[in-house]
Amino acid sequence: HYWTDKDGGHIIATHAGEPISGKPSMVWESAMLMLAMENYYFATGDADTKQKMQAHWNYLRSVFNEEQLVGRQGKSPNLASDDAGWSAMLFITIYRIFNDKSALELARKLIHNSYDYWVDGTMDNGIWYCDKKLYNGDQWKSIYSVSLLISALEYSKATKGTAQYDQSLYEKSMKLYNWIENNLRRDK
């Protein structure tokens, strides 16, 4: 019930996208399924699953341009920091499965843009979950930023020792990690 062969094959959007507009408005909803598909593929080696992942990745790139994928924080498809984080995790997944360096670069750009957009002065005090206007003036910092953090650290691990390594991204991520450890742990 999640797949259509239309447009080369893709995951059916359910979050304010298809069937309303005919196109997805968010990346995160299919990112969650793609993470499960990745686990299934690595566990089974099922070629059909890998083919479906490639088809969906091709579809997403036909629906969203680079600016939408990495530079629209506070707007669809990255309304909040967790939406951007799930998108970054999808890009990292595509890199792991297909060694797609363009997906790895999309992850780097998205994470930097997200950190810069939702920062409150410095990374030393975490990042905002969303814009005030999204939740009637409410704004908070939360553990939701972990999806960005995990993606950033995986990017750093994948590129360490190469020309693509981004020391600034790593440093920002470690500041966010330290803030999370010092402020959001239950045992504190």
Side-chain angles (χ1 to χ4, degrees):
H1 298 293
Y2 71 91
W3 186 262
T4 180
D5 289 324
K6 189 171 93 176
D7 301 320
H10 63 88
I11 296 168
I12 298 170
T14 59
H15 184 274
E18 294 175 12
I20 298 165
S21 70
K23 294 193 297 188
S25 63
M26 306 296 279
V27 174
W28 67 262
E29 66 176 339
S30 64
M32 292 182 176
L33 184 53
M34 290 281 277
L35 291 169
M37 291 171 76
E38 175 191 27
N39 286 334
Y40 180 77
Y41 171 70
F42 280 138
T44 66
D46 181 62
D48 186 53
T49 299
K50 186 176 182 180
Q51 178 185 3
K52 281 186 165 137
M53 292 179 75
Q54 182 66 61
H56 186 65
W57 177 232
N58 293 342
Y59 175 72
L60 286 177
R61 289 186 298 180
S62 76
V63 171
F64 297 104
N65 63 36
E66 183 172 326
E67 169 62 20
Q68 291 167 318
L69 290 174
V70 304
R72 292 178 47 101
Q73 281 62 27
K75 299 178 183 80
S76 180
N78 298 310
L79 289 174
S81 62
D82 67 324
D83 301 329
W86 287 109
S87 296
M89 290 179 79
L90 170 68
F91 302 153
I92 296 292
T93 294
I94 295 301
Y95 169 73
R96 281 192 302 253
I97 296 286
F98 301 106
N99 197 32
D100 185 333
K101 303 252 191 300
S102 69
L104 193 62
E105 180 60 12
L106 287 173
R108 186 189 72 77
K109 288 178 180 178
L110 175 58
I111 297 162
H112 263 303
N113 289 341
S114 298
Y115 284 175
D116 293 345
Y117 185 83
W118 283 299
V119 72
D120 181 20
T122 72
M123 295 298 289
D124 293 318
N125 62 0
I127 61 174
W128 293 109
Y129 168 70
C130 65
D131 292 336
K132 287 181 181 180
K133 63 184 176 202
L134 191 60
Y135 289 100
N136 300 320
D138 287 342
Q139 195 177 35
W140 60 89
K141 296 178 180 180
S142 76
I143 199 73
Y144 287 124
S145 58
V146 167
S147 55
L148 286 166
L149 177 62
I150 289 170
S151 299
L153 294 176
E154 188 157 347
Y155 174 90
S156 296
K157 181 180 176 184
T159 60
K160 191 163 181 117
T162 72
Q164 290 75 37
Y165 183 74
D166 187 333
Q167 184 67 33
S168 169
L169 183 68
Y170 180 77
E171 289 171 4
K172 287 179 184 180
S173 298
M174 292 312 297
K175 286 181 179 183
L176 178 59
Y177 171 82
N178 288 326
W179 181 84
I180 290 169
E181 280 289 310
N182 290 327
N183 294 281
L184 298 179
R185 286 182 47 174
R186 288 184 182 182
D187 62 346
K188 294 257 177 190

